[in-house]
Amino acid sequence: MSPKDVSSGGTSRTGAFTPARIAVIVIAILSVVFIAENTGDVTVRLLIPLVTIPLYVALIVMFVAGMACGAYFFRRRPK
């Protein structure tokens, strides 16, 4: 038998739940819980105007902006 025919017998990290994916899921869940717990009104300065909005709206906007930036910068590039 050639070396290519022999399987390693070890576990592969190519499954759906890798440690990195589990960490991202945990962080996302904790972020959603944090957002849900903070519902008071806050005043936010948007360059010049002051806007009073619920804190959870500001947190959701920043969460989505962070996810969009992460998806843009860390997307898989074709080989």
Side-chain angles (χ1 to χ4, degrees):
M1 279 197 305
S2 71
K4 292 181 182 178
D5 294 337
V6 179
S7 65
S8 64
T11 59
S12 174
R13 294 285 183 198
T14 59
F17 294 108
T18 62
R21 287 182 183 168
I22 292 171
V24 169
I25 290 169
V26 168
I27 291 170
I29 290 170
L30 290 174
S31 298
V32 170
V33 169
F34 181 77
I35 289 169
E37 292 292 325
N38 292 287
T39 58
D41 287 345
V42 294
T43 302
V44 179
R45 179 178 299 275
L46 299 173
L47 295 179
I48 295 173
L50 288 174
V51 180
T52 301
I53 57 174
L55 180 57
Y56 72 89
V57 173
L59 292 171
I60 288 172
V61 169
M62 293 311 301
F63 181 74
V64 170
M67 294 289 286
C69 289
Y72 177 75
F73 286 114
F74 294 108
R75 71 183 185 276
R76 293 179 186 255
R77 289 179 170 65
K79 291 183 179 183

